[in-house]
Amino acid sequence: MERHFSKFYPQKWAQIALLVGLCLVIYFVNLGQWDLWNPDEPRYAEVAREMVNGGDWILMHYNGNVYSDKPPLFFWLIGFSSYLWQGFTSFSVRFPSAFFGTLTVLLTFLIGKNLYGSRTGFLGSLILATSFEFAYLSSRANIDTTLTFFTTASLYCFFLWYQQNIGEKNRQEMDLSRFTIYGFYMGMAFATLAKGPVGFILPLLVSLFTLILRKDWRGIREMKLFPGMLLFLGMVLCWYLPAVWKGGRDYLNQTLFLHSIARYSQGWAKGQPIYYYLYDFPTAFFPWVVFLPSAFVYAYSMRMVEKRREFFFLSIWFAVIFIFFSLSKGKRGIYLLPLFPAASLLVGKFLHDFISSQMDHFRQRWISLPIYVLLGLMFVAGVFFLVFPWVVSIKFHSYMPYSLPLAFLLAGGSLVMFILYRVKNRGAMFLLFFGILITGYFYTTRAVLPLINPYKSARFISQEVISRIQPGEKLAVYGRLSTAPYNFYTGVVPISDLASPSRLFQFLNSSEKVFCLITFDELRKIQTRGGGAEIHLVARHPVGGNDVVLISNRFE
């Protein structure tokens, strides 16, 4: 059976090439096919552009004001990418995320190879690359993919050091492998420069809990905490000290307290319940989440005693990050991305042993149930993509052809996978499933996202602004609209941010011609209220979930 299984896997030298090719297809090929979308992409792009245009690479700016929300590493990367690809485009702004997403997939392969062998590493990295949230964020201008790479690199260095120098095999040997622990601290430093204190908190907690729960006090003593933290602080302070010197006490308070401690302990708006990730994470790690409970049960089954150390490390990695963010008041689904490599390798080992028939002792229902759930969900989704667009096409005829490929891919693929499972051709079944996912991701980025781009992008209403506004005339946004997408697509900096009706009326009562972007429902409320200001509707276009209108105080 092992020989039969091996034909579904390439040789070791080709596995990395295949993974790179896969990431090129689903992350890079269609990266610039749609515009930058809220909430994060236009803001990050605008911060990077103001950094490049203003020449200040230490103190970030946004809408003409100091930007203290995030450290600079990701914006440096976007700035370098804009130089590499000749301008700030959707492709160049997203390129760092796709690049570090690819590197994280390759790093997951190396971790799995060291833990269990190259086949498990290859399978685990495929699972990571095709998990919903990771694939989506690797094709968006989002910091969390970059953060995930550096936290994963940090933990990989820790595991290598622990395996080589604290384990029984090499306890007495002094070689260069002892210095891998410094890679642990360097990874933490880059992660911190990407997204603040969480960049060092996560790897440090995972490593310390791993050693404490194993009661390896010697390991804690030999972690070189003092010189390692000096190295970490030296790297971070190379940027932070000049930034605080330029930004002053207010910048220090915002970066150290408001955007770290306060965000974690209080959140920004209405805090999510402690169980938020119990229902959010399954969607993010779809479709592989259906196998995760079985993977945990299998990890601690009686026959896996000899592999407990590897499963233990991955379990701690997963649990520490999950619990850490569950205890935070501020919660977003993307925050859990740094635990995805661990979850992928847990599922990867489980599926590897299932495909190669190395788990005959394991209860069949722990395997068959998630497979049938997955196939059922695929078939239902295929039917949905066939029936629902057909109903919609009664009014919108042009949408029907776009849904048919997904319908046949999912429904037909689920039926073929069911047949392969029943004839016990497990390797071919999962090979087909990976093909379905890759095809689905490619088709979505090539056809579906560009199709909905006119309803999501701020570029179209921004073009209306550009065609009408003259040099020196002012632009504002009102209410719940953010300035970021309009900064980026109009090039206007600064844009006034009006938070109250009184400020809006004051702005519109200007003796000069001015423009304001406002949602249509908020405009109706303003008109009902009245305020003595002259209001003329100039243009109207959907942006995300908002019906945005451009108004002016002068008739054209």
Side-chain angles (χ1 to χ4, degrees):
M1 179 60 70
E2 183 68 20
R3 181 180 300 177
H4 175 74
F5 167 68
S6 64
K7 69 180 181 181
F8 292 102
Y9 286 81
Q11 297 297 318
K12 295 179 182 178
W13 61 267
Q15 290 172 342
I16 291 179
L18 284 172
L19 290 172
V20 171
L22 164 68
C23 293
L24 286 175
V25 169
I26 62 177
Y27 298 161
F28 288 93
V29 172
N30 299 314
L31 201 57
Q33 291 294 312
W34 67 99
D35 296 326
L36 303 178
W37 293 350
N38 278 337
D40 297 324
E41 287 191 303
R43 182 172 72 256
Y44 293 159
E46 179 60 23
V47 171
R49 188 170 66 176
E50 291 187 31
M51 175 191 70
V52 172
N53 292 342
D56 189 348
W57 292 64
I58 298 297
L59 203 60
M60 305 295 104
H61 289 80
Y62 162 55
N63 196 28
N65 301 312
V66 173
Y67 180 76
S68 59
D69 194 13
K70 297 290 188 296
L73 179 60
F74 189 67
F75 308 111
W76 293 344
L77 293 170
I78 295 178
F80 176 75
S81 178
S82 70
Y83 174 79
L84 184 66
W85 301 107
Q86 302 297 305
F88 285 89
T89 63
S90 297
F91 182 91
S92 66
V93 171
R94 294 187 178 117
F95 180 80
S97 294
F99 179 74
F100 282 101
T102 301
L103 290 183
T104 307
V105 170
L106 298 178
L107 193 57
T108 301
F109 167 77
L110 294 177
I111 296 173
K113 182 177 179 294
N114 277 272
L115 286 170
Y116 307 113
S118 62
R119 290 176 180 174
T120 298
F122 183 65
L123 192 57
S125 57
L126 285 175
I127 290 170
L128 175 66
T130 54
S131 59
F132 174 75
E133 189 84 78
F134 189 87
Y136 180 63
L137 293 180
S138 293
S139 57
R140 282 181 60 84
N142 190 278
I143 296 177
D144 293 85
T145 310
T146 304
L147 171 71
T148 299
F149 168 75
F150 286 114
T151 55
T152 304
S154 178
L155 289 171
Y156 178 50
C157 290
F158 166 78
F159 180 77
L160 285 181
W161 166 81
Y162 184 73
Q163 188 180 52
Q164 295 167 353
N165 295 291
I166 302 301
E168 296 178 359
K169 292 182 179 180
N170 299 311
R171 262 185 202 275
Q172 305 301 322
E173 296 180 9
M174 282 290 293
D175 53 29
L176 292 177
S177 64
R178 289 187 179 273
F179 293 98
T180 56
I181 191 63
Y182 290 109
F184 168 69
Y185 295 103
M186 293 174 66
M188 288 198 310
F190 283 116
T192 302
L193 288 171
K195 206 174 180 181
V198 71
F200 78 85
I201 291 174
L202 298 182
L204 195 61
L205 285 178
V206 172
S207 60
L208 290 177
F209 270 100
T210 298
L211 296 173
I212 291 172
L213 293 177
R214 292 186 62 84
K215 299 181 180 179
D216 194 341
W217 315 119
R218 178 188 172 187
I220 296 177
R221 292 195 303 269
E222 295 187 6
M223 276 185 68
K224 302 185 185 298
L225 275 170
F226 182 71
M229 292 306 293
L230 285 180
L231 173 63
F232 161 78
L233 288 173
M235 293 176 63
V236 173
L237 292 179
C238 281
W239 160 74
Y240 192 61
L241 288 179
V244 171
W245 180 75
K246 294 183 69 175
R249 177 174 293 183
D250 184 59
Y251 185 80
L252 175 66
N253 291 334
Q254 290 193 37
T255 54
L256 193 60
F257 298 105
L258 179 63
H259 294 297
S260 54
I261 298 175
R263 177 174 291 186
Y264 181 85
S265 60
Q266 301 173 13
W268 282 126
K270 183 179 179 181
Q272 300 289 351
I274 194 171
Y275 53 83
Y276 170 76
Y277 290 117
L278 291 177
Y279 60 83
D280 180 83
F281 174 72
T283 303
F285 195 55
F286 192 82
W288 303 107
V289 70
V290 298
F291 298 104
L292 191 59
S294 299
F296 275 112
V297 174
Y298 178 63
Y300 293 95
S301 62
M302 294 301 294
R303 294 284 295 274
M304 293 302 297
V305 173
E306 69 279 4
K307 292 292 185 180
R308 287 278 178 83
R309 176 176 298 179
E310 290 79 5
F311 276 115
F312 182 78
F313 174 66
L314 295 176
S315 299
I316 293 298
W317 182 347
F318 180 95
V320 165
I321 297 177
F322 192 94
I323 295 172
F324 176 82
F325 284 114
S326 294
L327 295 176
S328 169
K329 288 289 186 181
K331 296 181 177 70
R332 290 181 66 188
I334 60 177
Y335 290 171
L336 291 187
L337 203 67
L339 63 75
F340 275 48
S344 300
L345 288 171
L346 284 167
V347 175
K349 177 59 178 173
F350 172 73
L351 294 182
H352 171 274
D353 289 357
F354 166 64
I355 295 171
S356 58
S357 298
Q358 296 181 24
M359 52 165 59
D360 294 334
H361 69 284
F362 201 57
R363 293 186 178 182
Q364 188 66 26
R365 65 173 178 267
W366 286 104
I367 305 169
S368 59
L369 180 60
I371 289 177
Y372 286 133
V373 168
L374 179 64
L375 296 179
L377 290 174
M378 287 178 61
F379 185 79
V380 170
V383 173
F384 174 82
F385 280 118
L386 181 62
V387 175
F388 182 74
W390 179 80
V391 175
V392 174
S393 67
I394 296 175
K395 184 175 182 180
F396 302 102
H397 300 283
S398 60
Y399 287 88
M400 185 65 177
Y402 292 97
S403 65
L404 290 178
L406 287 176
F408 288 121
L409 181 70
L410 293 172
S414 65
L415 293 176
V416 176
M417 286 177 61
F418 175 77
I419 295 172
L420 291 173
Y421 178 64
R422 297 301 299 176
V423 300
K424 298 185 178 180
N425 200 335
R426 302 166 180 176
M429 181 186 72
F430 280 101
L431 184 65
L432 173 62
F433 186 50
F434 280 118
I436 291 171
L437 288 176
I438 294 167
T439 304
Y441 285 134
F442 182 84
Y443 179 77
T444 300
T445 55
R446 168 59 66 175
V448 178
L449 296 186
L451 184 68
I452 64 177
N453 184 62
Y455 304 96
K456 293 280 290 182
S457 173
R459 176 169 60 90
F460 301 94
I461 191 71
S462 296
Q463 290 173 341
E464 298 285 351
V465 175
I466 294 171
S467 66
R468 289 168 170 82
I469 195 168
Q470 299 298 317
E473 293 179 344
K474 294 180 180 180
L475 176 66
V477 298
Y478 174 80
R480 61 176 177 267
L481 294 183
S482 166
T483 65
Y486 311 105
N487 286 132
F488 184 78
Y489 281 113
T490 66
V492 177
V493 176
I495 295 175
S496 300
D497 193 352
L498 310 176
S500 65
S502 60
R503 290 194 61 192
L504 175 63
F505 289 131
Q506 182 181 2
F507 180 78
L508 293 173
N509 282 321
S510 170
S511 59
E512 302 174 346
K513 187 176 183 179
V514 295
F515 294 87
C516 182
L517 291 160
I518 182 174
T519 61
F520 185 72
D521 59 333
E522 288 178 323
L523 175 62
R524 294 180 63 181
K525 293 178 182 178
I526 291 295
Q527 290 175 326
T528 302
R529 174 174 176 170
E534 190 175 355
I535 299 176
H536 299 278
L537 195 152
V538 178
R540 182 175 178 181
H541 202 280
V543 180
N546 295 314
D547 184 6
V548 178
V549 295
L550 175 66
I551 61 174
S552 178
N553 62 345
R554 298 286 188 275
F555 184 75
E556 293 187 338

